[in-house]
Amino acid sequence: MTPNSIGADTAGPQTGVHPVDEMLPAPKLFTLGLQHVLVMYAGAVAVPLIVGRALQLTPTQVALLISADLFVCGIVTLIQSLGATRWFGIKMPVMMGVTFAAVGPMVAIGTANPGVDGARMIFGSIIAAGFIAIFLAPLVARMLRFFPPVVTGSIILVIGVTLMRVGIDWVFGIQRGPTAPQVVDPAHAAWLQAAAANAPAMPDGLKLAATVDNPAYAQPSHIAISALVLVVVLLIARYGRGFLSNICVLIGIVLGGVVAALAGMMDFSHVGSAGWFAFVTPFSFGTPIFEPVMIATMVLVMIVTLIESTGMFLALSDLTGRKLTRPMLEAGLRTDGLGTVIGGIFNTFPYTSFSQNVGLVGVTGIRSRYVCAAGGLILICLGLVPKMGALAEAIPTFVLGGAGIVMFGMVAATGVRILGAGADFARNRHNMFIVAVSLGFGMIPMVAPHFLMWMPHALHPLIESGILLASISAVALNAFFNGAGATEADLRAAAQVAEH
């Protein structure tokens, strides 16, 4: 990597204007911008739904998370594609969305601290980590050598495997609450209540075990609709062409939602009561809570996110023919941090460039950054319509389940592809150990969720996320076995694999 140039620059045809800076007619900008929004929409609303339900927020509060997410997606996309001073914005066709890498830690925080206080802890850690990421951006280029494909592929694989549990729970029912697989026998509860009236005070914490199968769990009708969504997604992916195949997940969700509505399985009461316009206000959940360990956890997530974004920017440079200079790269990475700060302020989450939209640039051949700016404006408008957030929140989890298996499974499959393309297992058997142990570490919180019961409580947010455990393991083992010798070409190749 030279001090000033990272990728080749290609002049635009005839006009002398580079295709990245080409201003298209307004109708075409709107149409192509809407394409980008539709491609990313399912992934954009998935994270607020996951985190909001982990926090056990009300439907209205979850709808607020969704609206805030769409609103901030649009703002950060505008900053990234148009630029804001020389310090922020890579000025390339980039759509910004919430990173899946942060889901595990946020769900862990929300599960341990349900309700508004948990949300305040999440937003506090996000704001602090975003500020730190802004200052880390110039250092990321020096950290690339610690993240060869064997590391990035392992991390992305574990992200997908961790999220897959969410998709499966969406199909059959959440393991806690009204859809838990088993519930307390009402007869046992009545007996205990009667016995308690004539017995000494019951010990603190005494409660009945759930022993009766819950009819609300794994309902055949729910499984059937999830299966329908999955089949529709696969059929469109197989037989659809071009843009249609790129929005197969969104089409599956819409069709599943229509079937669920016709079957009387959707509750539109919150959609009806939601307004047509409302500003997204900062700190809607109250003053953020800043916990040092949670901040450290989110900083690790941001480092992974910045490395991932670097790869995407390098791949986008090759795809568009726009030379990626060191100042441009740093401005793009600072925007990841700035977007995360804005996200925390406006009640949403960490942001990164969406790989599926990078892939869409290659599919359409349209390299203008103003297309993504148009997509950003559309997202802002959607975020200002509370009915859109309420409608997304009203979609039953079993409708999302079939799509979730595809979305989250594709994340894991992307990790496998990066490993297959960039990790040379034939000539370096040590890479097998890196992947094996990192995957094992990533599975610990899923298989043994109480493994940290005797560890200091302050450390829990740092180690109860499989994604962070896998990241630490992969980086440490790669340094142990292979040293720190990853190159910029390795990261670019991994990003090119991920976007296809």
Side-chain angles (χ1 to χ4, degrees):
M1 182 185 293
T2 64
N4 296 314
S5 65
I6 301 177
D9 205 352
T10 304
Q14 300 173 349
T15 63
V17 176
H18 195 283
V20 169
D21 299 318
E22 183 181 2
M23 176 61 77
L24 303 176
K28 194 171 184 179
L29 277 179
F30 174 80
T31 303
L32 293 171
L34 183 61
Q35 277 190 347
H36 275 282
V37 170
L38 293 176
V39 165
M40 70 174 292
Y41 190 82
V45 301
V47 176
L49 286 171
I50 295 170
V51 178
R53 286 165 181 169
L55 285 164
Q56 302 175 29
L57 299 178
T58 66
T60 301
Q61 290 171 324
V62 175
L64 171 61
L65 291 182
I66 295 170
S67 294
D69 176 39
L70 295 174
F71 179 73
V72 177
C73 276
I75 290 178
V76 185
T77 296
L78 287 177
I79 295 173
Q80 193 70 280
S81 55
L82 298 181
T85 76
R86 67 190 183 94
W87 301 105
F88 298 101
I90 197 168
K91 298 182 182 178
M92 293 175 72
V94 176
M95 295 293 291
M96 301 292 286
V98 177
T99 174
F100 280 118
V103 169
M106 291 191 297
V107 167
I109 294 171
T111 302
N113 306 276
V116 172
D117 283 346
R120 293 166 60 204
M121 291 177 184
I122 290 174
F123 298 142
S125 64
I126 287 171
I127 292 170
F131 275 116
I132 293 171
I134 291 174
F135 293 102
L136 283 179
L139 304 177
V140 167
R142 301 177 186 177
M143 298 172 62
L144 298 185
R145 57 199 181 98
F146 295 104
F147 289 84
V150 69
V151 172
T152 55
S154 297
I155 294 171
I156 294 173
L157 172 60
V158 170
I159 291 172
V161 171
T162 302
L163 291 173
M164 186 62 75
R165 176 179 57 182
V166 174
I168 294 171
D169 280 347
W170 280 351
V171 174
F172 300 107
I174 308 302
Q175 298 292 318
R176 296 177 301 276
T179 59
Q182 291 186 315
V183 294
V184 173
D185 190 328
H188 293 179
W191 178 89
L192 182 62
Q193 185 176 8
N198 302 310
M202 288 190 296
D204 291 338
L206 176 66
K207 59 182 179 180
L208 292 171
T211 57
V212 177
D213 290 340
N214 186 357
Y217 183 77
Q219 293 187 35
S221 59
H222 295 179
I223 297 173
I225 293 178
S226 291
L228 172 67
V229 173
L230 178 59
V231 169
V232 169
V233 171
L234 296 178
L235 287 174
I236 296 176
R238 171 65 179 84
Y239 297 106
R241 292 290 181 269
F243 173 66
L244 188 65
S245 65
N246 285 328
I247 61 169
C248 59
V249 171
L250 182 62
I251 294 174
I253 292 174
V254 170
L255 184 60
V258 170
V259 172
L262 293 175
M265 297 179 178
M266 284 185 68
D267 179 8
F268 292 100
S269 60
H270 295 287
V271 180
S273 62
W276 282 104
F277 177 83
F279 287 109
V280 178
T281 56
F283 306 121
S284 296
F285 291 83
T287 305
I289 297 174
F290 298 93
E291 291 284 346
V293 177
M294 293 181 184
I295 293 171
T297 301
M298 209 57 68
V299 168
L300 291 177
V301 169
M302 286 305 302
I303 291 173
V304 173
T305 299
L306 293 176
I307 296 295
E308 182 183 2
S309 292
T310 300
M312 290 301 162
F313 294 152
L314 290 168
L316 192 60
S317 170
D318 292 342
L319 197 61
T320 61
R322 163 60 61 87
K323 182 188 298 181
L324 181 61
T325 63
R326 180 68 63 81
M328 285 174 62
L329 175 59
E330 292 178 1
L333 296 179
R334 283 194 199 96
T335 306
D336 277 14
L338 177 63
T340 299
V341 173
I342 296 172
I345 292 173
F346 281 94
N347 326 296
T348 184
F349 311 113
Y351 284 84
T352 187
S353 58
F354 260 31
S355 61
Q356 55 265 54
N357 291 92
V358 174
L360 185 61
V361 172
V363 170
T364 63
I366 303 297
R367 294 176 278 175
S368 172
R369 58 194 173 102
Y370 297 105
V371 168
C372 289
L377 290 173
I378 294 171
L379 285 168
I380 290 174
C381 293
L382 292 175
L384 295 174
V385 181
K387 282 190 184 295
M388 292 300 300
L391 181 60
E393 193 282 328
I395 299 173
T397 54
F398 54 83
V399 172
L400 298 170
I405 288 176
V406 175
M407 281 194 297
F408 306 143
M410 288 296 287
V411 175
T414 298
V416 172
R417 289 182 60 182
I418 292 173
L419 290 172
D424 191 350
F425 294 110
R427 288 187 292 182
N428 186 348
R429 66 185 184 89
H430 293 151
N431 285 344
M432 297 287 287
F433 290 100
I434 297 171
V435 177
V437 175
S438 299
L439 180 59
F441 270 56
M443 295 290 290
I444 289 175
M446 294 178 61
V447 178
H450 303 294
F451 77 99
L452 37 61
M453 63 169 59
W454 304 118
M455 299 182 188
H457 187 75
L459 293 178
H460 287 195
L462 192 62
I463 59 178
E464 62 190 349
S465 166
I467 296 169
L468 291 182
L469 290 177
S471 300
I472 295 169
S473 168
V475 171
L477 289 176
N478 178 70
F480 173 70
F481 283 117
N482 300 326
T487 65
E488 176 189 305
D490 291 333
L491 199 63
R492 178 185 279 111
Q496 288 172 338
V497 169
E499 73 190 37
H500 289 103

